[in-house]
Amino acid sequence: MSTTDSTATCECARAVAELREELATLRDEVAGLQRENAALRDANERKAERIETLETHVTQEFATIRERTDRIERVGYTAVGHAREHAQWMRKHDRLHDALKSRRERFDERLWDLETGEIDVQDVIDAGTNDLPIQTRTKERKTNPDALRGNKKRSTFIWPEFYARSRKTSGGNLIVTTPDAANILAEAGVKHDNETTKRAMRFVARLSGNRDDPNHEEHLIRFEPGERGKSPARLVADAGEFEQFAREASGMDVTDSENDETDTQDDSDDIVGAEADEQMDTLLNATTEGS
């Protein structure tokens, strides 16, 4: 064998050996990759299981949270309902408290007036008659000047002059203020001051109906106390109601006069007064005669 052939054989052997080494290396690398792939597969499977477990847990937790939320909402709605009911009850309680307080104040004022002799049980008895208590009181003063005293007596001077001295507002009300009432008392020669004038005005309003409240909506005349330094106290009446009352009362006065010799002349004037204004003047002025 020649040197050339030997050299070629050696080179082929080295090449084969190198290829075998490279093949072994590749096989090792492939085995390593297979192991890594298996490990990754196992890891993915564990992750999938974990994810499934977490999803199940999250679903259960979400259901629990939803149930709790629904329960909280139901409790909240119930609490809100109770709170609203409590608020409504408190408002009713406050209104009742205010009404009772106002009634107690009127009761105390009434009791004070009873103790001082400015009102008596006769006012209650008069509620069952056709006449208003203020009309009855005015007739009492007319027939017996000493029958009344104090602010009740002063009120019987203001009442007959109410319509004549009143001012009619654009809203259809008749108004008599404290200065107007004071002028009426002064012209009648009745001793008075600002406070007694206002109390007498209260009596006019209170006795123009059958309630203790001088500002009751059912009364013919209502008392408004005014604001200190801004507006005076005043007596207020609906013009239409007052004039209707005067017309009806004039008819009653005529009927009553048949059995009352003292009022014969006054009631004759009522018969003659055909117009509403004439009846009004006759009715109110009749109560002042003989005072």
Side-chain angles (χ1 to χ4, degrees):
M1 181 181 292
S2 64
T3 303
T4 302
D5 293 335
S6 298
T7 302
T9 299
C10 291
E11 290 178 354
C12 286
R14 285 195 299 273
V16 170
E18 290 176 356
L19 288 172
R20 287 176 177 173
E21 290 178 358
E22 290 179 0
L23 180 59
T25 301
L26 289 173
R27 286 175 178 171
D28 291 339
E29 290 179 356
V30 168
L33 290 174
Q34 288 176 343
R35 287 191 299 274
E36 291 179 1
N37 186 44
L40 290 173
R41 189 181 295 112
D42 291 341
N44 287 336
E45 290 178 356
R46 289 193 298 272
K47 287 180 180 178
E49 292 176 356
R50 179 61 176 166
I51 289 172
E52 183 178 356
T53 301
L54 290 173
E55 287 179 347
T56 302
H57 180 71
V58 168
T59 301
Q60 292 175 348
E61 286 294 323
F62 182 78
T64 302
I65 292 172
R66 172 57 63 86
E67 182 180 355
R68 290 178 179 175
T69 302
D70 292 342
R71 186 166 62 253
I72 290 172
E73 287 180 350
R74 290 194 299 270
V75 172
Y77 291 144
T78 303
V80 170
H82 288 323
R84 288 176 177 172
E85 291 178 359
H86 179 71
Q88 292 175 354
W89 181 86
M90 287 299 297
R91 287 194 292 270
K92 291 180 180 178
H93 175 271
D94 291 342
R95 289 196 295 269
L96 177 61
H97 178 270
D98 293 341
L100 290 175
K101 181 180 179 182
S102 177
R103 187 170 183 178
R104 176 59 186 271
E105 290 174 351
R106 292 197 303 271
F107 174 80
D108 290 342
E109 182 179 357
R110 184 76 167 179
L111 181 61
W112 171 257
D113 291 337
L114 283 168
E115 291 176 347
T116 57
E118 295 197 10
I119 62 174
D120 52 42
V121 182
Q122 187 64 36
D123 292 339
V124 181
I125 298 174
D126 291 335
T129 67
N130 290 329
D131 284 352
L132 294 175
I134 186 64
Q135 292 175 284
T136 303
R137 299 285 82 78
T138 303
K139 289 178 180 179
E140 286 182 9
R141 177 183 59 80
K142 178 175 131 178
T143 56
N144 183 6
D146 296 328
L148 303 174
R149 60 180 180 175
N151 293 316
K152 180 182 289 187
K153 186 173 183 178
R154 293 185 181 92
S155 69
T156 63
F157 288 94
I158 298 173
W159 155 254
E161 296 294 327
F162 175 81
Y163 186 76
R165 299 297 185 93
S166 64
R167 290 186 292 276
K168 191 171 184 178
T169 66
S170 58
N173 288 329
L174 301 175
I175 304 294
V176 168
T177 63
T178 307
D180 298 329
N183 289 336
I184 294 172
L185 295 175
E187 292 172 7
V190 178
K191 185 178 179 181
H192 65 283
D193 56 30
N194 188 62
E195 186 60 30
T196 55
T197 300
K198 287 193 292 186
R199 290 182 66 84
M201 292 168 66
R202 282 180 180 272
F203 270 113
V204 172
R206 178 185 294 170
L207 298 177
S208 70
N210 297 319
R211 307 277 187 171
D212 283 341
D213 184 2
N215 196 31
H216 199 280
E217 59 182 5
E218 294 180 3
H219 282 207
L220 181 64
I221 300 174
R222 299 175 303 281
F223 176 79
E224 295 181 357
E227 297 183 34
R228 184 181 297 274
K230 293 183 179 180
S231 60
R234 60 184 190 172
L235 294 172
V236 182
D238 180 89
E241 290 182 6
F242 196 93
E243 291 168 359
Q244 177 65 25
F245 162 79
R247 286 191 291 270
E248 294 175 355
S250 295
M252 286 189 293
D253 283 349
V254 172
T255 302
D256 293 341
S257 68
E258 295 178 358
N259 298 319
D260 188 354
E261 295 180 359
T262 306
D263 295 330
T264 300
Q265 182 61 45
D266 298 334
D267 294 330
S268 298
D269 293 336
D270 290 340
I271 297 173
V272 175
E275 297 297 328
D277 289 342
E278 293 178 356
Q279 291 177 342
M280 183 79 69
D281 294 337
T282 302
L283 168 68
L284 299 179
N285 292 333
T287 60
T288 62
E289 294 186 9
S291 62

